[in-house]
Amino acid sequence: MWRQVKLEPHQGEPPMRTQSASCVLGSKVYVFGGLGSGASNQMWALDTVLHRWERLLPSGPRPPARSAASLAGDADGHCVYLFGGLGRVKRDYLKKRDGVPGATLRTQLHAQREMHSDVWRFDGTSKRWEEITFIHMSPPPRRGHTATFCSGLQLVAEPELSQDGGAEASRSSMVLTVAL
């Protein structure tokens, strides 16, 4: 049965956005990125025990802003993993948009956003991001996918479009496993 929970004021709440990535880790719901007035790389945590939001401001490197990424928590309850997504519109493209009708412009802008294939780990204890690099193979860039952490493997299902270079895109329904 659903019930509304009254949240305690603390550090505000995440701004309105769409296509953000989220997952549950322990008693917290983590939310990363999404689209509002542009792509974001903000990280928020909802404490389900204290019923309040906290904006996380980690020191050190952070993932670039993105939307349509996936976020999966590990089995130990300490880290979340961020994969893929769409970044910001490429700067040089913004100069070319004069005189393009709205619907066409939205389609073209969507195609001109950078697609990511990177993997980042956020440690919920130290509140720090770390980019994970792969020696032999990395999955192709993707957006609108899902990810689930399962006994040391992150499973990534791709029901959306993946980009093979340029503006070309193809449908894909692959399942990838990444040993972490």
Side-chain angles (χ1 to χ4, degrees):
M1 173 186 267
W2 288 96
R3 68 180 173 91
Q4 185 173 3
V5 176
K6 185 177 186 313
L7 298 178
E8 295 296 322
H10 182 57
Q11 293 181 357
E13 59 188 34
M16 287 182 51
R17 60 181 85 178
T18 183
Q19 299 180 7
S20 56
S22 62
C23 73
V24 174
L25 186 65
S27 64
K28 294 187 177 181
V29 178
Y30 289 88
V31 178
F32 177 86
L35 284 175
S37 60
S40 168
N41 70 345
Q42 289 184 4
M43 179 77 139
W44 288 80
L46 173 63
D47 188 314
T48 61
V49 175
L50 300 176
H51 296 185
R52 66 181 182 194
W53 284 103
E54 176 186 7
R55 182 171 177 193
L56 303 174
L57 300 167
S59 60
R62 297 183 210 183
R66 66 188 71 200
S67 62
S70 63
L71 200 63
D74 71 4
D76 295 331
H78 300 310
C79 297
V80 296
Y81 294 85
L82 175 72
F83 175 68
L86 281 173
R88 299 176 192 259
V89 175
K90 298 170 187 169
R91 290 183 186 271
D92 59 339
Y93 184 75
L94 293 175
K95 298 174 187 172
K96 302 175 188 175
R97 66 183 209 183
D98 292 336
V100 178
T104 305
L105 177 60
R106 280 192 298 279
T107 303
Q108 289 179 3
L109 284 173
H110 191 70
Q112 292 300 318
R113 292 178 62 203
E114 180 182 1
M115 199 177 298
H116 295 287
S117 65
D118 53 351
V119 177
W120 289 78
R121 176 176 38 224
F122 179 78
D123 186 309
T125 306
S126 69
K127 295 190 173 33
R128 295 183 63 89
W129 282 105
E130 173 189 11
E131 185 172 11
I132 298 174
T133 55
F134 297 94
I135 297 170
H136 297 290
M137 185 184 113
S138 179
R142 60 194 64 246
R143 65 173 169 86
H145 56 283
T146 60
T148 304
F149 198 89
C150 181
S151 298
L153 297 176
Q154 183 176 8
L155 306 177
V156 179
E158 171 61 64
E160 253 295 345
L161 297 174
S162 63
Q163 187 170 343
D164 298 329
E168 289 293 314
S170 60
R171 284 249 174 237
S172 172
S173 60
M174 66 174 57
V175 175
L176 306 166
T177 60
V178 180
L180 299 170

